[in-house]
Amino acid sequence: MEIRKGIAVSPGIAIASPLIIDSKDYRIPRRSILQSQRADEIKKVRDAFAGAIGQLTELEAASGIDQGNIKDIFAVHLRFLRDKSFRKRITDFVKNELVTAEYAISIILREIAAHFANMDDPYISERAADIFDIEKRLLTQLLGKIREDVDHLRKEVVIVAHDLTPTQTASFNRTFVKGFATDAGGRTSHTAIVARTLGIPAVVALEEVTASVTSESIVIIDGNHGVVVIDPDESTLEQYRQQARDFLHLEHELDALRDKPSVTRDGIAISLLGNIEFPDEAEETLQKGGMGIGLYRTEFLYLYSGTEPTEEDHYDAYVETIQRFKGQPVVIRTMDLGGDKLPYSARHSVETNPVLGLRSIRFCLQNLTMFKTQLRAILRASVLGDVRVMFPLISNLQELRQAKMILRDVMEDLDEYEVPYNPSIPIGIMIETPSAALTASLLARDCDFFSIGTNDLIQYTLAVDRANERVSTLYSAADPAVIRLIRSVIHDASKAKIDVAVCGEVASEPEYIMLLLGMGIRTLSLAPPMIPEIKQIIRSVTMQECNQLARKVASMDSQRQIKNYLRDAAMKILPEAF
Ligand code: PEP
Ligand code: MG
């Protein structure tokens, strides 16, 4: 039995055999196999060679006469792949060392590449690049097969991976994928956010969990405490089975709150809205008692299909959502691409500092055709309900004015064709950068509402990558710098008489709710499965208690002190959540 501690990102307990996904862009970890799996792994090596040879032969045949150099490269690669002694070296390694096919391929090819690279003859040393190419081709054969396995699951599994993209996570078949564990990641990475929205128990930042499991293992994922147990003994297994039953029971109890009002004990109403990525999650928001959509992450339309959505794709998705929420708000955020949300095809063209680069509204303002297509669809849908538009990652007033100007241009186009829309559609912005937070009083004059995106606000305020497990202990909403910024944004919004919500992950973390209410927040937008638990907290506190707590926090000077204080307070109210 092995116990690993990571970061809990999505609650619940999952127990199943793993489906292991290694990333082809990552060092393949050493994973042992059983004697009985040797023949299977050797067959995998053979199949990978056969697949790669087939692929290269086709490519060679398809390349024209004028592509002589390319033809030569294919020929060199083919010669290499057909060399039996080379393949034998790999299969011998699998047999003798009892390791997976992908590990053997990666080790042997990297050994050969290193040998070539050290040669004095530049012609030979440059061949190292060819060897890396061949390695990639062989691994793609193997790993591509695993991806196919994910798409055609027939039994319940937990996914164990180095890392997953948000899109991969979103496409999991929930009937069979019961949970996941990854080496990398952080609590507010988009992969974690998607897991929470889907209600799949998940733990990230486990360092080398992929190296510790085999396909024969039993894996427990404890998404409540951030623990993964590999090959548990009988008593541990039974203990977790009981915990899984208790968790389901608690969920059912909380679901009974669905139709109860979201008010504090002293009668202050708090709006609880859902954060969604896809229109079908709107239904789940309703089922969990959500009163609208506070954040529709529309970039997932793009990420999921891998191609740019048409105006009709946007429109259809919005209509599906709006129709479920008659008379309740639906806040559509314009596409927030970049950072860790890149279409698969763009993964390799990343900038040196993608989080500080051409992402989000900046990307839209430089890709006006795409931006206008989306705005047209939002405006057309705006006549169907209480639709609001929100711009992400605004970092200065000029950017907001530019975005509004483009919205006005699109309105004029629609006027010309007499297409109906709501000319007074509420326009909001996300407060996600320290610059926006510090100039909130200026920005408030030019928009109708704020939504504080704490996931990014924490990242930019503390200069800590939200998806990097190596700095995850530094990433905290309890840092006094973050709390001061949030407090001042709320103050500026209230002075300007505009609404302010919180839609970052803190809105779904039980320990932060009293603080947010005490600082003046009356609208929270969060992952739908978390709504009942947060409602339970709201219904258990008085505003006086929240105000007192917020005042006390304002007098504290360290992240640790604040975090412990908030945790103790929340534990008294909902001990089951911890
Ligand atoms: C945020 O940054 O807090 C936010 C809600 O947006 P996203 O998580 O999509 O970046
Ligand atoms: Mg954000």
Side-chain angles (χ1 to χ4, degrees):
M1 176 164 94
E2 184 181 340
I3 299 176
R4 284 181 162 262
K5 183 91 185 82
I7 301 173
V9 296
S10 180
I13 310 271
I15 305 172
S17 295
L19 181 71
I20 306 153
I21 309 176
D22 292 323
S23 161
K24 67 175 176 186
D25 302 321
Y26 177 68
R27 181 178 62 81
I28 301 290
R30 184 187 181 102
R31 238 190 14 254
S32 303
I33 56 164
L34 302 172
Q35 290 271 5
S36 58
Q37 294 172 301
R38 271 201 314 202
D40 281 350
E41 290 303 308
I42 287 170
K43 181 169 180 315
K44 275 202 218 163
V45 174
R46 295 216 176 97
D47 289 350
F49 270 79
I53 289 171
Q55 209 179 44
L56 274 171
T57 314
E58 271 174 32
L59 287 170
E60 191 190 28
S63 53
I65 317 164
D66 54 338
Q67 293 174 306
N69 286 343
I70 298 176
K71 246 186 160 68
D72 287 350
I73 294 171
F74 291 151
V76 170
H77 287 199
L78 273 170
R79 213 172 310 133
F80 205 85
L81 285 165
R82 285 182 179 134
D83 178 345
K84 287 212 173 71
S85 66
F86 162 57
R87 193 179 329 171
K88 187 166 180 308
R89 226 171 122 180
I90 297 173
T91 49
D92 283 352
F93 195 74
V94 170
K95 255 190 257 170
N96 302 335
E97 300 290 323
L98 289 177
V99 289
T100 55
E102 50 270 31
Y103 181 70
I105 287 174
S106 160
I107 284 289
I108 300 290
L109 273 114
R110 282 175 192 213
E111 263 175 33
I112 298 173
H115 179 69
F116 278 14
N118 287 334
M119 295 287 200
D120 286 337
D121 179 341
Y123 177 78
I124 299 184
S125 65
E126 277 163 21
R127 295 282 71 79
D130 286 311
I131 305 295
F132 280 125
D133 239 22
I134 294 171
E135 180 205 6
K136 224 183 204 161
R137 193 174 295 282
L138 287 168
L139 288 178
T140 306
Q141 292 289 325
L142 284 167
L143 303 172
K145 162 91 181 48
I146 293 171
R147 295 216 169 89
E148 251 173 54
D149 289 349
V150 180
D151 293 341
H152 299 105
L153 284 170
R154 287 284 162 270
K155 62 171 184 146
E156 292 188 356
V157 295
V158 294
I159 303 276
V160 178
H162 169 64
D163 202 2
L164 295 165
T165 65
T167 329
Q168 270 177 316
T169 312
S171 60
F172 285 158
N173 178 337
R174 269 192 273 177
T175 313
F176 296 113
V177 176
K178 293 294 156 195
F180 73 78
T182 59
D183 296 336
R187 188 175 153 76
T188 61
S189 65
H190 285 91
T191 300
I193 289 171
V194 172
R196 216 150 31 243
T197 306
L198 296 178
I200 302 177
V203 180
V204 303
L206 288 149
E207 292 179 357
E208 296 236 313
V209 68
T210 40
S212 304
V213 291
T214 72
S215 49
E216 308 289 307
S217 306
I218 293 287
V219 176
I220 299 174
I221 293 180
D222 175 356
N224 301 329
H225 301 101
V227 169
V228 167
V229 186
I230 300 154
D231 294 323
D233 56 33
E234 205 36 57
S235 80
T236 310
L237 196 57
E238 190 38 51
Q239 201 182 316
Y240 273 101
R241 283 191 183 127
Q242 185 55 45
Q243 277 190 34
R245 286 191 288 269
D246 291 348
F247 185 78
L248 274 182
H249 182 70
L250 175 67
E251 266 198 326
H252 277 99
E253 263 182 22
L254 288 172
D255 278 351
L257 288 178
R258 188 191 127 131
D259 299 319
K260 298 244 164 74
S262 169
V263 287
T264 58
R265 272 175 35 226
D266 46 355
I268 306 294
I270 308 295
S271 293
L272 288 178
L273 311 175
N275 287 353
I276 62 166
E277 285 78 39
F278 298 102
D280 58 351
E281 291 159 2
E283 184 54 38
E284 163 123 31
T285 308
L286 273 177
Q287 276 169 18
K288 294 286 177 185
M291 301 142 77
I293 299 298
L295 171 64
Y296 186 165
R297 290 187 166 98
T298 59
E299 58 279 6
F300 277 81
L301 271 176
Y302 196 140
L303 294 169
Y304 198 64
S305 66
T307 54
E308 199 180 311
T310 62
E311 184 179 326
E312 287 318 298
D313 293 336
H314 281 291
Y315 181 76
D316 292 346
Y318 305 154
V319 171
E320 196 181 331
T321 310
I322 297 161
Q323 279 173 344
R324 287 200 162 90
F325 286 97
K326 280 272 173 259
Q328 290 176 311
V330 175
V331 179
I332 303 179
R333 174 175 79 179
T334 58
M335 288 206 273
D336 184 31
L337 290 164
D340 64 345
K341 287 180 291 194
L342 287 170
Y344 194 79
S345 56
R347 271 178 346 131
H348 299 292
S349 56
V350 288
E351 303 158 293
T352 316
N353 278 316
V355 170
L356 301 180
L358 188 65
R359 63 167 289 210
S360 199
I361 192 71
R362 302 169 184 179
F363 183 78
C364 287
L365 291 175
Q366 287 196 24
N367 288 276
L368 288 186
T369 311
M370 183 188 92
F371 193 33
K372 285 185 170 181
T373 300
Q374 175 170 36
L375 292 176
R376 228 181 345 261
I378 296 174
L379 285 172
R380 279 173 54 207
S382 68
V383 290
L384 302 173
D386 180 359
V387 177
R388 308 173 188 187
V389 62
M390 177 160 76
F391 300 123
L393 206 80
I394 291 291
S395 52
N396 59 53
L397 185 56
Q398 193 185 330
E399 232 164 26
L400 168 58
R401 288 188 174 153
Q402 244 178 304
K404 282 176 64 178
M405 198 176 73
I406 290 155
L407 185 70
R408 268 196 304 274
D409 278 355
V410 176
M411 286 180 174
E412 278 169 21
D413 285 350
L414 292 178
D415 286 338
E416 209 169 302
Y417 291 93
E418 295 182 6
V419 178
Y421 64 91
N422 172 12
S424 341
I425 182 171
I427 300 169
I429 61 169
M430 294 195 64
I431 303 286
E432 306 186 272
T433 62
S435 63
L438 292 166
T439 55
S441 59
L442 306 177
L443 294 164
R445 293 187 205 144
D446 264 66
C447 66
D448 303 307
F449 64 93
F450 287 160
S451 191
I452 307 178
T454 48
N455 304 338
D456 276 316
L457 186 61
I458 299 168
Q459 157 165 275
Y460 292 121
T461 305
L462 304 179
V464 179
D465 180 348
R466 63 194 263 190
N468 183 343
E469 66 283 3
R470 290 195 281 181
V471 285
S472 62
T473 50
L474 299 173
Y475 182 95
S476 173
D479 193 287
V482 175
I483 293 173
R484 283 178 188 214
L485 282 182
I486 297 177
R487 192 187 289 277
S488 100
V489 172
I490 298 169
H491 174 262
D492 290 347
S494 121
K495 229 170 142 190
K497 298 195 173 40
I498 66 167
D499 287 340
V500 56
V502 169
C503 66
E505 295 310 295
V506 290
S508 63
E509 292 183 36
E511 55 264 55
Y512 288 99
I513 303 307
M514 289 180 78
L515 175 63
L516 294 175
L517 302 193
M519 290 197 294
I521 290 292
R522 297 292 178 265
T523 304
L524 296 167
S525 191
L526 57 153
M530 304 300 294
I531 290 175
E533 190 172 327
I534 299 305
K535 193 192 269 189
Q536 166 91 319
I537 293 186
I538 291 167
R539 292 173 55 82
S540 313
V541 297
T542 63
M543 201 48 81
Q544 200 189 349
E545 287 165 343
C546 296
N547 293 341
Q548 237 168 31
L549 176 135
R551 272 197 299 275
K552 181 98 178 129
V553 166
S555 69
M556 294 180 177
D557 58 9
S558 86
Q559 188 246 109
R560 182 181 299 183
Q561 188 190 15
I562 296 172
K563 201 167 170 70
N564 289 342
Y565 177 68
L566 294 180
R567 203 177 159 81
D568 288 349
M571 261 173 101
K572 280 191 200 128
I573 291 161
L574 195 62
E576 312 90 285
F578 296 89

